[in-house]
Amino acid sequence: MTKVKICGLQEAEHAKAASAADAAGFVFAPSRRRVTVEQAARLAAELPESVVKIGVFVNAELDEVLEAVRKVPLTMVQLHGDETDEFIRSIPVEVIQAFSVRDIEDVKKLEQSIADYVLVDAPGIDFRGGSGRIFDWGLLKGASIDPERLIVAGGLDAVNVGQAIGSLAPYMVDVSSGVETEGKKDADKIKSFIKTVKGDSMQQATGTENVTGFFGRFGGQFVPETLMKAVKELEAAYAEAKDDADFQADYHKYLKEYVGREQPLTYAARLTEAWGGPKVYLKREDLNHTGAHKINNAIGQALLAIRMGKRKIVAETGAGQHGVATATICALLDLECVIFMGEEDIRRQQLNVFRMKLLGAKVESVTKGSATLKDAVNEALRYWVTNVEDTHYLIGSALGPHPFPTMVRDFQSVIGRETRGQILGKEGRLPDVILACVGGGSNAIGMFHPFVGDESVRLIGVEAAGEGVDTARHAATLTKGTEGVLHGAYMKLLQDENGQVQEAHSISAGLDYPGVGPEHVHLEDIGRVEYKAVTDEEALASVITLSRLEGIIPALESAHAVAEAEKTAAAMGSDEILIICVSGRGDKDMATYAEKLEGLA
Amino acid sequence: MKRLKDLKDNGDKAFVAYIMAGDGGLDKLRGQVEYLQKTGVTAIEIGIPFSDPVADGPVIEEAGNRALAEGVTLDKVLLEMKSWDFKIKIPLIVMTYLNPVISYGAERFAESCREAGVSAVIIPDLPFEHQQLVGPYLKKTGVTLIQLVTLTTTENRLEDILDAAEGFVYAVTVTGITGVRDEMTQEVQEFMKTVRSKSPVPVYAGFGISKTEHIEMLRDDVDGFIVGSAIVKAFHDNKIEDIDPLIHAVTQRNPV
């Protein structure tokens, strides 16, 4: 089916209206629709990951194009000037070359293009780029151009677009002035244009996708009525904060000045050599203040809580990393902090328990159920239900009722955004494979999110197989789980045939959870991300590998990603690139390592 | 469920008793229902145990864990109820979390409820916005889905929820989970008055009702009371007769 590109977006409201399109265009060349890189980045954040983000340039410097690719980030570049083939080859993402078609000579030039796609438009008037005039489609008849590479622009609107599709069957149609009223984009016209092109099949395909708080069929707000007000208030407050430049600036200031971002993307030379396959890079979330990615989210949510007038924070923690991050930020911002933690996890993570106490948090031991993360979430939810008027529940993973999965993902997406820019800077292209461990899935979704639209990048989430996925003791929810509702979201769960949630098992307290974030379930469902499972034993072996070869002692959680990376690398070539998200460092796991690895080491 | 309306029209107050199915073994359920019916309760809420009962306090959670340890499931409870041959004169209401229903299948659940003589269903973690998942199936089999409102329910939602209410409205009297409490505030009274003035069906107060003082305080502002933790605890301690005064405080027209 013909794809739709909405070009020349400048306002968040119009980006939202364009979220059902396949592509969105941002104009960086002189034009009344021109935007800055910063504006484009904010607009891009409004769009689903599946929407291709295209930057439009006319004879720009290569550096300018590369910077926009990195910072927005752009998934495609559209060139309207006299760019050379060499210039096109230097761009690390797919390229559209645009041609103003006046006569048959223009068609010949277009046939020679080496770009991934060619865009045909009527000649411009004041500036180069789209003019909004209809060109003579007849000129293209008989041109030796593959319709799969063809994008048609120029004076299209909801009325004439059907004719363009009918006569040219292009890959994509591009509209800009056709969805404007008095020179400004018009949300209703945008929606109407998309609907005209996609017809009813769009509604079928999207289904619940456009329903707030759902990723495909997964997500929602399955909470007791007492919490609905708080959840709705949070939804509204986050929607507002997300668009507020001051809030974003504040959040990024803390990331930079307090957490120490950006974190390096370290080339792992010895790991690369040892595995004998792809070039291996490590995204160093272990270098964050407090030792893991969790703080990225804790800061964002704590700032939001303050904005909402709430100065009490409740949180759950598994490995203690989220608890420590929360206690840390509560100390910094002078917030009251209660952390629920399973008794079993308290035993496994003594050091983190002491850190939280030292930071002034109250740590409540949960002895119910398996006394691990799931039970800590139950208790945190109960506490929230009881103290909802003045307390914010600072959930630590991409779990729970909407807006938590989206909000946590957004706060963690800094991981993937940095990685994207860094790898483009170092290698001039996107990686072939990215791996991250998945418990609830926050570091993974933060890493994957900015790459979901890049079909060439293989994304692999790594779950905990515990003692093996065929035993009763594992935490491989995506591999072995079934659909159900827990902790506010429709997702996948480890449960028995009567809908009772089962205990998960993993040597890693942070992966020891019987559910998984709804967006991951959706990404698995649509086949975009692969999910694999790694055993306790394999993870422990990888702790040694990374420690000995790179001098980086990873957290047990991150070691799962390393273990799967080794398997993946075995089938890759030396011209390929693999990135592992090292979500945290191993300090908290020293007692376990000392116990389990004494003999091995 | 019509008798609940009649009760209200006569100016009588309802007493809904909650029990955890299978606490102490599923074979106890029948006797408990018979006892409560004989004592004069208006309706009985039969709780299905769940592994993660986030809306419940410790008393009901522990009862649920005991029932789970006995191997009690939604399926077994519905089959047990279907097998009953004694005369049931009062509405039986099933209270279950959503996940066991999804696992069982919403359509099959509605059908089994009908077969088991269940009049209504309460699902505490199924908010109004998501009721399409289960509601239409229950409607087809004539089983009522009870709506909950709480102190934190916003005005707009309150109107929408009450518009859809059937049977009775479950008004949560506390910002919190189920359990035995000492105090009832002025705020609760005001809330009950508001709900009752807008509700097309009787309004019952639940969560934290355990003392005759609670009942005296709210009596004029509600149509009935739901008592859970106190009854679950009494059954567990083999002291259910201790609850009789509480039941009578509600059901007798002029309590002494």
Side-chain angles (χ1 to χ4, degrees):
Chain A
M1 182 187 300
T2 308
K3 295 183 186 293
V4 178
K5 175 186 165 207
I6 308 294
C7 203
L9 292 171
Q10 289 175 296
E11 307 284 340
E13 165 202 1
H14 305 131
K16 279 189 185 128
S19 63
D22 301 287
F26 309 111
V27 180
F28 297 107
S31 155
R32 62 185 165 80
R33 303 187 188 103
R34 186 174 194 170
V35 288
T36 64
V37 170
E38 290 71 30
Q39 283 171 314
R42 277 199 292 279
L43 293 168
E46 292 291 336
L47 292 160
E49 215 47 59
S50 55
V51 174
V52 176
K53 284 96 187 167
I54 302 174
V56 180
F57 301 88
V58 180
N59 296 329
E61 293 296 326
L62 183 59
D63 284 350
E64 187 195 327
V65 177
L66 294 180
E67 192 201 348
V69 168
R70 208 165 50 235
K71 288 193 176 163
V72 176
L74 298 172
T75 40
M76 227 183 258
V77 166
Q78 180 173 324
L79 303 173
H80 274 260
D82 308 301
E83 293 84 359
T84 62
D85 287 356
E86 192 196 338
F87 188 90
I88 292 172
R89 286 198 194 93
S90 311
I91 292 171
V93 293
E94 288 191 309
V95 173
I96 301 167
Q97 195 169 20
F99 296 88
S100 295
V101 178
R102 274 161 295 225
D103 50 38
I104 201 74
E105 290 306 309
D106 293 329
V107 174
K108 279 188 181 145
K109 270 193 264 172
L110 167 157
E111 286 174 336
Q112 304 298 317
S113 173
I114 66 149
D116 302 280
Y117 300 95
V118 290
L119 181 143
V120 289
D121 193 7
I125 308 162
D126 302 331
F127 301 109
R128 296 181 74 164
S131 64
R133 293 186 173 179
I134 308 176
F135 75 98
D136 182 1
W137 295 325
L139 282 170
L140 277 177
K141 295 261 162 136
S144 64
I145 187 89
D146 179 0
E148 280 300 300
R149 285 178 64 210
L150 182 65
I151 300 172
V152 177
L156 296 178
D157 57 33
V159 179
N160 64 21
V161 66
Q163 199 191 338
I165 292 171
S167 57
L168 296 169
Y171 171 74
M172 187 165 357
V173 287
D174 182 331
V175 67
S176 186
S177 59
V179 290
E180 289 176 352
T181 300
E182 291 168 5
K184 292 268 177 205
K185 286 281 179 297
D186 180 324
D188 290 337
K189 284 190 181 173
I190 291 174
K191 288 179 194 163
S192 156
F193 184 87
I194 296 168
K195 202 173 165 205
T196 306
V197 177
K198 307 214 139 202
D200 291 334
S201 60
M202 182 190 79
Q203 285 152 347
Q204 283 165 18
T206 50
T208 48
E209 212 137 341
N210 289 341
V211 177
T212 314
F214 278 87
F215 306 95
R217 292 180 291 129
F218 305 98
Q221 292 175 322
F222 294 93
V223 292
E225 178 60 28
T226 308
L227 286 183
M228 282 306 286
K229 183 182 169 205
V231 163
K232 294 276 180 201
E233 277 173 0
L234 186 62
E235 187 181 335
Y238 178 60
E240 202 185 61
K242 198 180 163 190
D243 286 342
D244 180 347
D246 290 343
F247 177 83
Q248 293 294 341
D250 214 18
Y251 164 65
H252 285 283
K253 187 191 84 190
Y254 279 105
L255 286 185
K256 182 168 183 284
E257 306 287 336
Y258 190 69
V259 179
R261 302 202 74 99
E262 83 178 10
Q263 299 308 350
L265 182 69
T266 307
Y267 172 58
R270 296 192 64 207
L271 209 53
T272 299
E273 193 192 336
W275 290 350
K279 280 177 99 165
V280 179
Y281 283 91
L282 307 172
K283 179 59 178 171
R284 303 292 305 281
E285 293 301 308
D286 59 309
L287 294 178
N288 286 327
H289 177 46
T290 71
H293 69 288
K294 293 292 186 187
I295 193 132
N296 301 332
N297 166 53
I299 286 179
Q301 283 198 49
L303 292 174
L304 188 63
I306 292 171
R307 195 182 156 100
M308 292 173 74
K310 294 187 173 183
R311 298 203 71 93
K312 292 182 183 172
I313 300 289
V314 60
E316 82 299 333
T317 196
Q321 288 305 110
H322 174 57
V324 168
T326 304
T328 298
I329 205 67
C330 286
L332 179 70
L333 300 174
D334 191 23
L335 303 172
E336 251 182 81
C337 180
V338 179
I339 309 278
F340 286 91
M341 185 169 186
E343 193 182 36
E344 168 66 14
D345 291 336
I346 287 180
R347 191 190 60 74
R348 289 193 278 194
Q349 307 286 350
Q350 293 274 343
L351 193 61
N352 271 346
V353 175
F354 183 69
R355 289 165 82 192
M356 286 184 267
K357 288 181 178 166
L358 185 59
L359 289 159
K362 200 168 153 202
V363 181
E364 298 278 0
S365 171
V366 179
T367 54
K368 292 168 180 171
S370 57
T372 60
L373 185 53
K374 173 188 84 138
D375 311 285
V377 177
N378 286 347
E379 286 310 308
L381 275 170
R382 286 193 178 106
Y383 183 94
W384 196 31
V385 171
T386 311
N387 299 282
V388 63
E389 296 288 7
D390 63 355
T391 304
H392 173 69
Y393 179 19
L394 206 161
I395 204 163
S397 195
L399 293 166
H402 175 72
F404 283 110
T406 303
M407 180 168 74
V408 175
R409 175 200 70 201
D410 292 348
F411 287 137
Q412 292 293 1
S413 289
V414 65
I415 303 173
R417 274 199 309 274
E418 282 181 8
T419 303
R420 203 170 199 285
Q422 288 167 321
I423 198 70
L424 288 174
K426 285 170 194 288
E427 296 281 348
R429 71 176 186 90
L430 294 174
D432 299 284
V433 177
I434 302 175
L435 298 107
C437 64
V438 177
S442 69
N443 91 84
I445 203 72
M447 176 55 118
F448 294 165
H449 187 63
F451 292 96
V452 165
D454 303 305
E455 283 174 29
S456 67
V457 182
R458 196 177 153 202
L459 303 172
I460 304 176
V462 188
E463 300 190 292
E467 293 173 10
V469 290
D470 296 321
T471 70
R473 290 172 62 77
H474 64 77
T477 315
L478 285 158
T479 313
K480 301 291 270 193
T482 49
E483 293 174 18
V485 168
L486 181 69
H487 298 151
Y490 188 71
M491 54 183 179
K492 260 187 164 184
L493 303 173
L494 298 178
Q495 58 182 330
D496 69 12
E497 67 280 10
N498 295 303
Q500 304 295 344
V501 182
Q502 291 172 317
E503 292 176 12
H505 167 81
S506 167
I507 191 171
S508 137
L511 303 181
D512 206 347
Y513 182 74
V516 62
E519 191 166 9
H520 282 292
V521 186
H522 174 60
L523 290 170
E524 186 208 30
D525 199 44
I526 61 169
R528 177 60 189 98
V529 180
E530 299 162 54
Y531 293 89
K532 312 268 185 180
V534 155
T535 63
D536 292 349
E537 210 172 306
E538 291 170 318
L540 281 167
S542 289
V543 169
I544 300 176
T545 305
L546 199 66
S547 301
R548 295 275 167 89
L549 291 179
E550 297 294 338
I552 296 167
I553 302 175
L556 261 170
E557 292 76 19
S558 322
H560 284 72
V562 178
E564 185 60 35
E566 185 167 1
K567 297 182 199 176
T568 310
M572 294 173 70
S574 59
D575 55 342
E576 293 185 285
I577 300 165
L578 177 149
I579 297 175
I580 304 168
C581 184
V582 181
S583 57
R585 56 181 180 247
D587 304 24
K588 69 180 175 63
D589 295 311
M590 280 310 148
T592 308
Y593 294 167
E595 182 195 329
K596 303 276 180 188
L597 299 176
E598 189 69 40
L600 280 160
Chain B
M1 301 297 277
K2 185 180 172 296
R3 44 182 299 141
L4 305 184
K5 179 88 174 18
D6 295 344
L7 205 67
K8 177 185 164 113
D9 292 344
N10 291 337
D12 289 325
K13 303 296 174 187
F15 185 102
V16 179
Y18 173 96
I19 48 180
M20 173 56 74
D23 180 13
L26 195 53
D27 51 341
K28 289 234 174 119
L29 186 59
R30 178 193 173 118
Q32 291 170 340
V33 168
E34 283 180 307
Y35 177 87
L36 291 168
Q37 176 166 275
K38 195 180 73 201
T39 317
V41 305
T42 316
I44 301 173
E45 215 184 292
I46 296 174
I48 306 296
F50 181 52
S51 52
D52 298 86
V54 293
D56 286 305
V59 173
I60 291 179
E61 183 182 22
E62 281 158 27
N65 288 341
R66 290 192 295 269
L68 286 174
E70 297 273 353
V72 175
T73 64
L74 175 60
D75 190 33
K76 285 183 187 169
V77 174
L78 291 172
L79 281 174
E80 165 69 19
M81 290 172 70
K82 194 179 164 186
S83 76
W84 289 344
D85 48 10
F86 61 97
K87 180 86 180 147
I88 297 167
K89 291 170 272 183
I90 56 175
L92 298 181
I93 300 156
V94 163
M95 142 122 194
T96 174
Y97 284 86
L98 180 59
N99 199 51
V101 175
I102 290 175
S103 174
Y104 192 87
E107 192 168 9
R108 181 172 159 232
F109 172 69
E111 188 55 38
S112 298
C113 280
R114 191 184 56 77
E115 289 171 8
V118 173
S119 301
V121 168
I122 299 172
I123 307 178
D125 58 345
L126 180 66
F128 186 67
E129 284 78 356
H130 292 330
Q131 286 180 358
Q132 280 300 105
L133 270 178
V134 184
Y137 301 112
L138 291 173
K139 202 164 202 104
K140 234 162 91 184
T141 56
V143 178
T144 304
L145 180 60
I146 299 297
Q147 302 293 343
L148 287 105
V149 295
T150 74
L151 292 166
T152 58
T153 301
T154 54
E155 212 166 302
N156 286 346
R157 292 187 79 245
L158 187 67
E159 307 235 325
D160 290 345
I161 294 172
L162 292 178
D163 269 354
E166 288 178 59
F168 65 90
V169 166
Y170 193 137
V172 178
T173 48
V174 292
T175 307
I177 51 182
T178 61
V180 178
R181 274 178 182 76
D182 289 332
E183 289 172 30
M184 283 281 156
T185 63
Q186 191 77 28
E187 189 193 3
V188 175
Q189 260 179 321
E190 291 304 315
F191 166 67
M192 289 301 164
K193 278 184 189 154
T194 308
V195 175
R196 201 166 175 226
S197 71
K198 294 181 176 178
S199 175
V201 292
V203 177
Y204 297 171
F207 278 42
I209 309 280
S210 60
K211 296 181 176 178
T212 47
E213 296 91 88
H214 298 152
I215 286 162
E216 278 158 24
M217 186 178 169
L218 289 176
R219 191 177 176 85
D220 294 336
D221 302 315
V222 300
D223 302 306
F225 296 90
I226 302 164
V227 178
S229 297
I231 290 178
V232 168
K233 192 167 182 305
F235 269 126
H236 181 60
D237 297 342
N238 284 318
K239 286 181 184 165
I240 188 61
E241 57 286 353
D242 288 3
I243 297 295
D244 289 3
L246 197 64
I247 299 176
H248 293 141
V250 174
T251 54
Q252 285 175 7
R253 215 170 265 203
N254 298 302
V256 186

